[in-house]
Amino acid sequence: MKANWGQQPNFQPEKAPLREEPRNSVAVPSFAPWSLPSLEGRLVEISGDVAGAPLTLVFRLVLEAQRRGEPAAWVGRRDSIFYPPDVAEAGIDLAAFPVVWTPDAIRAAEAADLLLRSGAFGLVVVDFGAASRLPMHAPNRLAALAQKHTAVVACLTEKDAERPSLGALVSVRAHAAREERLDDRFRCALRFVKDKRRAPGARHVEIFRGPDGLH
């Protein structure tokens, strides 16, 4: 779900409680690799295209963080931002979701660095977009801070699955895609290209509900 301010949303996370077996999901393992407990202390990269699956799946983590009482924050650019009404409709408390605007990827990494150093956030999402080339030290610092504060740093990038990740210290690299439409719902899948705790190639699939007016 990649959208600018004012653009129509693609779809929203299904509102089923995250800690229960999703009623409308398929092929969701009992111990989901795409969950905050599985990703704590790790630098995560979610790649994909502008069709929307990366944004949808990362907001799945934001919702989970807020339900666990873990503050979450967003770092991104004004010309590439989520659609707030969709996010609110999905159950996310926008009043408790700080957003930091930055002009480029390097400033975004610096802003995420500051947020993580505060120790106040359990999840920091950084939207690098297509400009995902960073100095080597930037992802290394984010990885170290994620581990130190037991936080999740989720980096969104626009690239093919075959392209390299942001850096060697990226602990999880997953490529997101929207695979199928099921009436008013969409099936979104993550393919784990790299996972330092598991063998690569695993998949995570969830069903999300489309917004009103688009189905």
Side-chain angles (χ1 to χ4, degrees):
M1 184 171 68
K2 188 71 173 178
N4 295 328
W5 287 96
Q7 285 187 328
Q8 284 291 333
N10 286 343
F11 42 87
Q12 308 163 347
E14 177 67 27
K15 291 183 178 179
L18 295 177
R19 289 302 175 189
E20 298 178 3
E21 189 68 20
R23 290 174 298 174
N24 298 305
S25 294
V26 294
V28 176
S30 58
F31 178 68
W34 194 246
S35 64
L36 281 187
S38 296
L39 302 174
E40 283 177 346
R42 310 176 77 181
L43 178 62
V44 180
E45 179 180 353
I46 311 105
S47 61
D49 57 29
V50 294
L55 202 57
T56 300
L57 287 160
V58 84
F59 271 112
R60 153 79 165 71
L61 293 181
V62 174
L63 183 60
E64 182 179 3
Q66 291 194 340
R67 287 178 174 176
R68 289 164 53 96
E70 293 279 357
W74 179 277
V75 180
R77 310 181 313 273
R78 286 184 181 274
D79 62 346
S80 177
I81 187 61
F82 55 86
Y83 190 70
D86 267 7
V87 173
E89 177 67 19
I92 291 170
D93 182 3
L94 290 176
F97 188 52
V99 175
V100 180
W101 304 119
T102 59
D104 52 49
I106 294 177
R107 298 296 181 273
E110 292 174 349
D113 188 297
L114 289 174
L115 292 173
L116 290 163
R117 286 184 183 281
S118 74
F121 296 93
L123 170 64
V124 175
V125 180
V126 192
D127 185 4
F128 287 120
S132 56
R133 296 187 65 179
L134 294 171
M136 184 179 298
H137 70 272
N140 293 353
R141 287 168 64 96
L142 294 178
L145 289 168
Q147 185 174 31
K148 178 179 180 180
H149 297 287
T150 322
V152 179
V153 181
C155 302
L156 294 169
T157 58
E158 295 175 13
K159 64 172 75 169
D160 297 333
E162 290 71 25
R163 289 179 58 188
S165 63
L166 288 170
L169 293 187
V170 170
S171 182
V172 174
R173 163 79 187 283
H175 191 76
R178 186 174 57 181
E179 292 189 334
E180 187 179 0
R181 180 169 178 165
L182 308 168
D183 297 326
D184 64 337
R185 290 172 167 78
F186 298 89
R187 183 164 68 184
C188 296
L190 277 173
R191 178 166 63 90
F192 288 82
V193 180
K194 170 185 176 183
D195 189 335
K196 292 189 174 181
R197 299 179 184 174
R198 298 181 177 84
R203 278 169 50 87
H204 177 81
V205 179
E206 291 192 48
I207 299 294
F208 294 88
R209 180 176 59 83
D212 296 338
L214 291 184
H215 54 81

